[in-house]
Amino acid sequence: MGFLEAVYSLGKRESSTDFSPEWEDIDNFLTLPLPIIEDQDRKGRIIRVWLEAEEPLGKQLEVRDIAKIDVVDFLAGEGTLQEKRRKYLYRDPVGANVTWSYSPTYKLGSPKKADREKLLEETEWKDKQDSRFYKLYNRVLADLEREGVFSKGSVDLIMTKLVERRGEICDLWSDPKRSYILMFGCEDKSVFLYPGDIPAFISYFRQKLAKKSGGGDLIKCSFCGCSEESSASFSDVFKFSTFDKVSFLPGNNKKHKNKVFPICQQCNAMFTKGKDVLRNKFSNGSIINGINIDVVPELIFGHEQLAAVADNVSDFIKKGLRIEKNLFSFLARQGEGLVFHFMFWEKNQAQERVHLIVEDVPPTRLKRLEELWRKSLEVYSPFKKDNTESKYLDFAIRNIVWVYLDLAGTGDSEKKFQMDRCFKVLGQLLNGQKVDVRGLKTNMVSRFPGLFASGDWSQVGPTKSGRMLLVLDFLERVNKAGR
């Protein structure tokens, strides 16, 4: 089984829990608006806007005022993760420049001093496209009134009240270590009704989801092989490609995008759910600067036999790895019954640019790589003895990246070229293949004159050259050890 199959299995396993007939048609399309962060000082927060409406549970919301604005921690309160997805009723917009969203939620992000000062000054926002109030109005709220969720005039009233109370919002949008969202709900008997508690918002979500799936020609699903008229494109799930510009390729034309890796609605639902689980439980962005690493675990026995594998494997599948500081070392300690699929990617505006995908990596291979790295450290280590992190495989991977970036010049194109070489080496290591050590040595020798001529070489030279020697020793040991 490969990367896509494993993502599908994650979605299928998650969909089998917390099943509810009431939510069956949209459950698999719900995602969390913020990442799950275990660090209490960095957890996301929700700035809640309590709308005072005539009938909060009616088909249309006639807004009379904003009763209150407050802030709560993301995922606070009782309930399973799926119950919280339903409560937030969120799904990422289909693009950055669309004029509607699935739910009444706007991402504020992490506050900078300049951002808060700018918000305080935004009294006239209607013609300022970079204004947060402008984006909130045009990308979230206005379409809710156009579609009849809000009564006529409600959105203008909401915007007027928000501008009047922008100081309150700034006071709540205060911690630069946290990410914030602005979420609209209704006040009902002193209780805040979240979007998923309000029938008008739920109906709107369903309506937009139905329009997105649409109808059309009979298309065969590229994943399961079934044929149906209502299909989606795999790019609706993973943004490996974007369709903002027309090209000579038919798939780069928005009118024909569903002909490029089309998937049926069932597969679309499973992949969407699988991606949500993947990004919230099995993703890491701290090892390589600017690069996200998705790790898709696959049970060799299949997810139905989860109870039959070792307890630590079962816990890993259920809990994920977001709290693990040393990702690869942690994966190396997992027991039999698992293999991993890795995807290294970076965010490039709306696109998810993939640098490397490696499939079917057993924990034993990672364990062997870590053992070889520690043997290299015993022979020569440029690091201080009190460096407790150097023994982990994650540190080895960081050092390989550092070496390649040190060999790059100052230009972005040269750094990109060296990182492409680096990803090739990382792929060979994870695949159990021989590494081109001679190519790396040639690369080093060609760059030595420039490095030696650097004014700060006398200070940084011993550490940099030490890292180079250590990485070379490690890669040579990997090659000698074979598969």
Side-chain angles (χ1 to χ4, degrees):
M1 189 186 294
F3 178 85
L4 295 185
E5 290 88 347
V7 174
Y8 184 94
S9 292
L10 275 182
K12 188 176 180 181
R13 189 183 69 80
E14 189 75 8
S15 298
S16 64
T17 63
D18 290 328
F19 175 76
S20 170
E22 180 187 355
W23 293 88
E24 183 179 6
D25 57 332
I26 61 175
D27 241 351
N28 292 322
F29 297 98
L30 297 171
T31 59
L32 293 173
L34 290 172
I36 300 173
I37 298 176
E38 300 296 332
D39 186 348
Q40 295 296 323
D41 295 329
R42 294 177 56 246
K43 270 189 174 182
R45 282 187 170 163
I46 302 174
I47 297 177
R48 304 186 302 183
V49 180
W50 298 52
L51 300 177
E52 184 181 315
E54 191 71 34
E55 294 183 40
L57 301 178
K59 292 182 179 180
Q60 187 179 71
L61 302 175
E62 184 178 344
V63 180
R64 298 178 299 199
D65 200 353
I66 291 178
K68 183 167 66 171
I69 301 175
D70 67 0
V71 65
V72 294
D73 284 338
F74 178 59
L75 298 179
E78 298 179 353
T80 65
L81 207 57
Q82 188 59 26
E83 287 171 342
K84 288 184 169 63
R85 288 191 188 100
R86 293 166 185 161
K87 181 168 72 172
Y88 298 149
L89 194 70
Y90 182 81
R91 176 174 167 82
D92 283 331
V94 295
N97 297 314
V98 294
T99 56
W100 60 273
S101 296
Y102 284 99
S103 59
T105 297
Y106 176 73
K107 291 188 176 183
L108 284 167
S110 300
K112 297 177 182 176
K113 184 180 179 181
D115 294 331
R116 297 174 73 241
E117 290 174 351
K118 185 179 178 181
L119 190 66
L120 286 172
E121 297 170 358
E122 288 183 356
T123 54
E124 302 295 330
W125 52 268
K126 290 187 178 181
D127 297 321
K128 296 179 180 178
Q129 295 188 15
D130 63 339
S131 161
R132 280 187 165 82
F133 285 134
Y134 178 93
K135 293 174 183 176
L136 170 63
Y137 177 85
N138 286 282
R139 298 181 186 179
V140 180
L141 296 180
D143 190 65
L144 287 163
E145 186 169 302
R146 285 194 296 267
E147 297 291 341
V149 176
F150 288 129
S151 64
K152 190 173 182 180
S154 289
V155 171
D156 285 339
L157 185 149
I158 292 170
M159 295 304 303
T160 299
K161 296 295 182 180
L162 287 176
V163 172
E164 289 175 358
R165 302 176 70 167
R166 62 193 183 281
E168 286 182 58
I169 297 173
C170 281
D171 290 340
L172 300 173
W173 187 40
S174 58
D175 192 340
K177 298 192 298 293
R178 302 177 187 271
S179 190
Y180 290 76
I181 56 175
L182 192 68
M183 183 175 288
F184 294 83
C186 288
E187 187 268 344
D188 185 34
K189 300 175 183 176
S190 301
V191 174
F192 182 76
L193 299 181
Y194 282 88
D197 300 321
I198 300 171
F201 288 144
I202 298 173
S203 177
Y204 178 81
F205 188 99
R206 283 193 167 102
Q207 174 189 332
K208 290 299 182 182
L209 201 60
K211 282 185 179 179
K212 189 72 180 66
S213 5
D217 299 333
L218 193 67
I219 290 179
K220 186 175 182 179
C221 178
S222 300
F223 187 75
C224 71
C226 79
S227 297
E228 63 177 41
E229 290 183 3
S230 182
S231 66
S233 168
F234 190 70
S235 63
D236 293 331
V237 184
F238 286 98
K239 305 294 183 182
F240 296 151
S241 59
T242 53
F243 300 90
D244 55 333
K245 293 182 178 67
V246 176
S247 163
F248 63 90
L249 295 173
N252 279 346
N253 188 324
K254 288 183 180 180
K255 296 179 181 178
H256 307 301
K257 61 178 285 190
N258 282 10
K259 294 182 180 179
V260 178
F261 208 94
I263 50 177
C264 65
Q265 287 307 306
Q266 173 66 17
C267 289
N268 185 23
M270 291 301 109
F271 278 127
T272 300
K273 175 64 71 176
K275 180 188 176 183
D276 185 55
V277 175
L278 175 63
R279 294 288 158 84
N280 283 300
K281 292 173 64 177
F282 299 102
S283 191
N284 185 295
S286 64
I287 296 175
I288 304 175
N289 186 37
I291 301 296
N292 299 286
I293 304 176
D294 289 346
V295 184
V296 190
E298 180 196 336
L299 279 168
I300 297 175
F301 309 109
H303 75 276
E304 294 86 356
Q305 300 178 31
L306 186 61
V309 299
D311 289 341
N312 66 318
V313 174
S314 177
D315 288 343
F316 169 68
I317 292 288
K318 292 176 181 176
K319 296 178 181 177
L321 49 77
R322 294 197 66 90
I323 62 173
E324 296 302 326
K325 184 178 180 181
N326 294 294
L327 167 68
F328 286 93
S329 184
F330 172 74
L331 297 177
R333 298 195 301 272
Q334 301 308 306
E336 295 181 2
L338 272 177
V339 293
F340 305 112
H341 310 288
F342 295 91
M343 183 171 75
F344 295 69
W345 63 280
E346 67 174 314
K347 189 75 172 174
N348 178 37
Q349 295 181 349
Q351 183 189 14
E352 296 171 349
R353 180 177 293 170
V354 179
H355 291 282
L356 175 68
I357 291 181
V358 183
E359 299 178 331
D360 300 316
V361 180
T364 51
R365 185 178 299 160
L366 300 176
K367 185 177 181 181
R368 185 190 62 178
L369 289 173
E370 187 166 79
E371 290 171 350
L372 293 172
W373 171 251
R374 291 180 179 180
K375 286 182 180 179
S376 292
L377 285 173
E378 291 173 4
V379 175
Y380 177 73
S381 173
F383 311 112
K384 295 179 180 179
K385 291 183 178 179
D386 60 353
N387 187 337
T388 57
E389 297 296 312
S390 63
K391 64 183 180 180
Y392 296 113
L393 181 57
D394 302 72
F395 201 77
I397 290 173
R398 288 192 186 99
N399 268 270
I400 293 171
V401 174
W402 288 336
V403 165
Y404 273 94
L405 287 179
D406 277 342
L407 295 174
T410 56
D412 290 339
S413 59
E414 177 65 16
K415 290 178 181 177
K416 182 179 180 300
F417 175 72
Q418 293 292 358
M419 279 305 297
D420 287 343
R421 285 182 164 183
C422 179
F423 282 120
K424 182 179 179 181
V425 169
L426 295 180
Q428 290 168 334
L429 289 173
L430 294 175
N431 271 316
Q433 300 169 338
K434 278 201 168 188
V435 180
D436 180 16
V437 179
R438 184 174 181 178
L440 178 56
K441 289 179 179 177
T442 303
N443 196 4
M444 289 178 177
V445 171
S446 68
R447 290 291 299 155
F448 278 156
L451 293 172
F452 295 158
S454 173
D456 61 352
W457 180 255
S458 58
Q459 284 79 36
V460 302
T463 301
K464 286 190 174 184
S465 58
R467 282 178 175 170
M468 291 180 186
L469 291 172
L470 178 61
V471 167
L472 285 175
D473 184 85
F474 170 60
L475 297 180
E476 290 280 15
R477 288 178 187 275
V478 171
N479 283 349
K480 288 177 182 177
R483 293 180 68 89

Short mmCIF file of all heavy atoms in Angstrom, two decimals, residues 137-166:
data_model
loop_
_atom_site.label_atom_id
_atom_site.label_comp_id
_atom_site.label_asym_id
_atom_site.label_seq_id
_atom_site.Cartn_x
_atom_site.Cartn_y
_atom_site.Cartn_z
N TYR A 137 -15.68 40.90 5.50
CA TYR A 137 -16.95 41.20 4.85
C TYR A 137 -17.09 40.47 3.52
O TYR A 137 -18.11 39.81 3.26
CB TYR A 137 -17.05 42.72 4.63
CG TYR A 137 -18.31 43.15 3.90
CD1 TYR A 137 -19.50 43.37 4.59
CD2 TYR A 137 -18.32 43.33 2.52
CE1 TYR A 137 -20.67 43.75 3.93
CE2 TYR A 137 -19.47 43.71 1.85
CZ TYR A 137 -20.64 43.92 2.54
OH TYR A 137 -21.78 44.29 1.89
N ASN A 138 -16.06 40.56 2.67
CA ASN A 138 -16.17 40.03 1.31
C ASN A 138 -15.94 38.53 1.20
O ASN A 138 -16.47 37.90 0.28
CB ASN A 138 -15.17 40.76 0.40
CG ASN A 138 -15.63 42.17 0.07
OD1 ASN A 138 -16.48 42.39 -0.77
ND2 ASN A 138 -15.05 43.15 0.78
N ARG A 139 -15.20 37.95 2.11
CA ARG A 139 -14.87 36.52 2.00
C ARG A 139 -15.71 35.64 2.91
O ARG A 139 -15.73 34.41 2.73
CB ARG A 139 -13.39 36.29 2.29
CG ARG A 139 -12.45 36.99 1.32
CD ARG A 139 -11.00 36.70 1.66
NE ARG A 139 -10.09 37.47 0.82
CZ ARG A 139 -8.76 37.43 0.92
NH1 ARG A 139 -8.21 36.66 1.85
NH2 ARG A 139 -8.00 38.16 0.12
N VAL A 140 -16.37 36.22 3.89
CA VAL A 140 -17.12 35.40 4.85
C VAL A 140 -18.59 35.84 4.98
O VAL A 140 -19.51 35.06 4.73
CB VAL A 140 -16.44 35.41 6.24
CG1 VAL A 140 -17.23 34.55 7.23
CG2 VAL A 140 -15.01 34.93 6.15
N LEU A 141 -18.80 37.10 5.37
CA LEU A 141 -20.13 37.50 5.81
C LEU A 141 -21.10 37.86 4.69
O LEU A 141 -22.28 37.52 4.75
CB LEU A 141 -20.01 38.68 6.78
CG LEU A 141 -19.28 38.40 8.10
CD1 LEU A 141 -19.25 39.65 8.96
CD2 LEU A 141 -19.94 37.26 8.86
N ALA A 142 -20.63 38.56 3.66
CA ALA A 142 -21.54 39.08 2.63
C ALA A 142 -22.34 37.98 1.95
O ALA A 142 -23.55 38.12 1.71
CB ALA A 142 -20.75 39.89 1.59
N ASP A 143 -21.70 36.85 1.65
CA ASP A 143 -22.41 35.77 0.96
C ASP A 143 -23.46 35.13 1.86
O ASP A 143 -24.47 34.62 1.35
CB ASP A 143 -21.41 34.70 0.49
CG ASP A 143 -22.06 33.69 -0.44
OD1 ASP A 143 -22.48 34.10 -1.55
OD2 ASP A 143 -22.19 32.51 -0.06
N LEU A 144 -23.25 35.15 3.16
CA LEU A 144 -24.27 34.62 4.07
C LEU A 144 -25.56 35.40 3.96
O LEU A 144 -26.66 34.84 4.07
CB LEU A 144 -23.74 34.65 5.51
CG LEU A 144 -22.66 33.60 5.84
CD1 LEU A 144 -21.93 33.98 7.12
CD2 LEU A 144 -23.27 32.22 5.96
N GLU A 145 -25.46 36.72 3.72
CA GLU A 145 -26.67 37.51 3.51
C GLU A 145 -27.25 37.29 2.12
O GLU A 145 -28.47 37.20 1.95
CB GLU A 145 -26.37 38.99 3.74
CG GLU A 145 -27.62 39.87 3.68
CD GLU A 145 -27.36 41.29 4.16
OE1 GLU A 145 -26.93 41.44 5.32
OE2 GLU A 145 -27.59 42.24 3.37
N ARG A 146 -26.37 37.19 1.11
CA ARG A 146 -26.84 36.94 -0.25
C ARG A 146 -27.63 35.63 -0.33
O ARG A 146 -28.61 35.51 -1.08
CB ARG A 146 -25.66 36.89 -1.23
CG ARG A 146 -25.06 38.22 -1.57
CD ARG A 146 -24.14 38.12 -2.78
NE ARG A 146 -22.99 37.29 -2.54
CZ ARG A 146 -21.81 37.74 -2.11
NH1 ARG A 146 -21.65 39.04 -1.87
NH2 ARG A 146 -20.81 36.92 -1.92
N GLU A 147 -27.21 34.62 0.43
CA GLU A 147 -27.85 33.31 0.39
C GLU A 147 -29.01 33.19 1.37
O GLU A 147 -29.59 32.11 1.52
CB GLU A 147 -26.82 32.21 0.66
CG GLU A 147 -25.70 32.11 -0.38
CD GLU A 147 -26.20 31.62 -1.72
OE1 GLU A 147 -27.31 31.02 -1.76
OE2 GLU A 147 -25.51 31.81 -2.73
N GLY A 148 -29.32 34.26 2.08
CA GLY A 148 -30.49 34.25 2.95
C GLY A 148 -30.27 33.72 4.35
O GLY A 148 -31.24 33.55 5.10
N VAL A 149 -29.03 33.46 4.74
CA VAL A 149 -28.77 33.02 6.11
C VAL A 149 -29.00 34.19 7.07
O VAL A 149 -29.62 34.03 8.12
CB VAL A 149 -27.32 32.49 6.24
CG1 VAL A 149 -27.02 32.12 7.70
CG2 VAL A 149 -27.12 31.29 5.34
N PHE A 150 -28.47 35.37 6.71
CA PHE A 150 -28.75 36.59 7.45
C PHE A 150 -29.85 37.36 6.73
O PHE A 150 -29.91 37.36 5.48
CB PHE A 150 -27.51 37.47 7.55
CG PHE A 150 -26.45 36.95 8.48
CD1 PHE A 150 -25.13 36.84 8.06
CD2 PHE A 150 -26.75 36.59 9.79
CE1 PHE A 150 -24.15 36.38 8.91
CE2 PHE A 150 -25.78 36.12 10.64
CZ PHE A 150 -24.47 36.01 10.21
N SER A 151 -30.69 38.02 7.47
CA SER A 151 -31.70 38.89 6.86
C SER A 151 -31.03 40.13 6.27
O SER A 151 -29.89 40.47 6.62
CB SER A 151 -32.74 39.29 7.90
OG SER A 151 -32.13 40.08 8.92
N LYS A 152 -31.73 40.81 5.38
CA LYS A 152 -31.17 41.98 4.70
C LYS A 152 -30.81 43.06 5.73
O LYS A 152 -31.59 43.40 6.61
CB LYS A 152 -32.19 42.54 3.70
CG LYS A 152 -31.61 43.60 2.80
CD LYS A 152 -32.60 44.02 1.72
CE LYS A 152 -31.99 45.05 0.80
NZ LYS A 152 -32.93 45.47 -0.28
N GLY A 153 -29.60 43.57 5.61
CA GLY A 153 -29.12 44.61 6.52
C GLY A 153 -28.37 44.08 7.72
O GLY A 153 -27.70 44.85 8.44
N SER A 154 -28.43 42.76 7.96
CA SER A 154 -27.78 42.19 9.15
C SER A 154 -26.26 42.32 9.09
O SER A 154 -25.61 42.65 10.09
CB SER A 154 -28.17 40.72 9.32
OG SER A 154 -29.51 40.58 9.71
N VAL A 155 -25.68 42.07 7.92
CA VAL A 155 -24.22 42.09 7.81
C VAL A 155 -23.69 43.52 7.99
O VAL A 155 -22.66 43.73 8.64
CB VAL A 155 -23.76 41.48 6.47
CG1 VAL A 155 -22.27 41.70 6.26
CG2 VAL A 155 -24.07 39.99 6.44
N ASP A 156 -24.38 44.51 7.42
CA ASP A 156 -23.95 45.90 7.62
C ASP A 156 -24.00 46.27 9.10
O ASP A 156 -23.09 46.95 9.61
CB ASP A 156 -24.86 46.85 6.82
CG ASP A 156 -24.55 46.82 5.33
OD1 ASP A 156 -23.43 46.41 4.96
OD2 ASP A 156 -25.43 47.21 4.54
N LEU A 157 -25.03 45.80 9.79
CA LEU A 157 -25.13 46.07 11.23
C LEU A 157 -23.97 45.41 11.98
O LEU A 157 -23.35 46.03 12.86
CB LEU A 157 -26.47 45.55 11.75
CG LEU A 157 -26.80 45.84 13.22
CD1 LEU A 157 -28.31 46.00 13.41
CD2 LEU A 157 -26.31 44.73 14.16
N ILE A 158 -23.66 44.14 11.61
CA ILE A 158 -22.56 43.42 12.26
C ILE A 158 -21.24 44.17 12.05
O ILE A 158 -20.48 44.37 13.00
CB ILE A 158 -22.45 41.98 11.70
CG1 ILE A 158 -23.67 41.15 12.13
CG2 ILE A 158 -21.16 41.32 12.19
CD1 ILE A 158 -23.76 39.81 11.43
N MET A 159 -20.98 44.61 10.82
CA MET A 159 -19.73 45.30 10.52
C MET A 159 -19.65 46.62 11.27
O MET A 159 -18.57 46.98 11.80
CB MET A 159 -19.60 45.54 9.02
CG MET A 159 -19.46 44.27 8.18
SD MET A 159 -18.08 43.19 8.67
CE MET A 159 -16.68 44.30 8.53
N THR A 160 -20.75 47.35 11.36
CA THR A 160 -20.75 48.61 12.10
C THR A 160 -20.41 48.38 13.57
O THR A 160 -19.59 49.11 14.15
CB THR A 160 -22.14 49.28 11.99
OG1 THR A 160 -22.42 49.56 10.62
CG2 THR A 160 -22.16 50.59 12.79
N LYS A 161 -21.02 47.36 14.15
CA LYS A 161 -20.76 47.05 15.56
C LYS A 161 -19.32 46.57 15.78
O LYS A 161 -18.70 46.90 16.80
CB LYS A 161 -21.74 45.99 16.06
CG LYS A 161 -23.21 46.43 16.05
CD LYS A 161 -23.44 47.56 17.03
CE LYS A 161 -24.92 47.97 17.04
NZ LYS A 161 -25.17 49.09 18.00
N LEU A 162 -18.78 45.78 14.84
CA LEU A 162 -17.40 45.31 14.96
C LEU A 162 -16.41 46.46 14.92
O LEU A 162 -15.44 46.49 15.69
CB LEU A 162 -17.08 44.30 13.85
CG LEU A 162 -17.70 42.91 13.96
CD1 LEU A 162 -17.36 42.09 12.73
CD2 LEU A 162 -17.23 42.18 15.22
N VAL A 163 -16.65 47.39 14.01
CA VAL A 163 -15.76 48.56 13.92
C VAL A 163 -15.82 49.37 15.21
O VAL A 163 -14.80 49.84 15.72
CB VAL A 163 -16.13 49.43 12.69
CG1 VAL A 163 -15.35 50.74 12.70
CG2 VAL A 163 -15.85 48.67 11.40
N GLU A 164 -17.04 49.54 15.74
CA GLU A 164 -17.19 50.28 17.01
C GLU A 164 -16.45 49.58 18.15
O GLU A 164 -15.92 50.24 19.05
CB GLU A 164 -18.68 50.40 17.36
CG GLU A 164 -19.46 51.35 16.47
CD GLU A 164 -20.95 51.34 16.79
OE1 GLU A 164 -21.36 50.56 17.68
OE2 GLU A 164 -21.71 52.09 16.14
N ARG A 165 -16.40 48.25 18.10
CA ARG A 165 -15.81 47.48 19.20
C ARG A 165 -14.46 46.88 18.82
O ARG A 165 -14.04 45.88 19.40
CB ARG A 165 -16.80 46.39 19.64
CG ARG A 165 -18.15 46.97 20.06
CD ARG A 165 -19.18 45.92 20.40
NE ARG A 165 -18.88 45.22 21.63
CZ ARG A 165 -19.74 44.43 22.27
NH1 ARG A 165 -20.99 44.30 21.80
NH2 ARG A 165 -19.40 43.80 23.38
N ARG A 166 -13.79 47.50 17.87
CA ARG A 166 -12.49 46.97 17.41
C ARG A 166 -11.45 47.00 18.53
O ARG A 166 -10.52 46.19 18.55
CB ARG A 166 -11.99 47.76 16.20
CG ARG A 166 -11.74 49.24 16.44
CD ARG A 166 -11.55 49.98 15.12
NE ARG A 166 -11.24 51.40 15.32
CZ ARG A 166 -12.13 52.34 15.61
NH1 ARG A 166 -13.41 52.01 15.73
NH2 ARG A 166 -11.76 53.60 15.77
#
